[in-house]
Amino acid sequence: MTEQPESRPRRMMEEKFPRGLWVRLIVYIAVGHLFAAFIYLLFQVGAK
């Protein structure tokens, strides 16, 4: 049997990540780096 024309666009949509997931991923990475920098700063100030 041949594939129906509807299945190809649906498959392409399923392979791509949703836009909201990318936004959350970038926000989590940015917040994680800011938190790590804050902890690093606390250790540097505490060492003096």
Side-chain angles (χ1 to χ4, degrees):
M1 286 189 158
T2 60
E3 290 186 22
Q4 295 176 351
E6 291 178 308
S7 65
R8 189 170 182 210
R10 181 179 291 170
R11 190 179 308 149
M12 287 175 50
M13 287 285 289
E14 289 175 356
E15 291 176 359
K16 294 172 77 175
F17 287 114
R19 187 170 185 214
L21 183 64
W22 282 112
V23 171
R24 264 185 278 148
L25 181 66
I26 291 170
V27 168
Y28 289 155
I29 289 172
V31 169
H33 279 85
L34 288 173
F35 182 70
F38 177 69
I39 296 297
Y40 178 77
L41 180 67
L42 285 179
F43 276 97
Q44 289 299 316
V45 170
K48 291 184 180 181

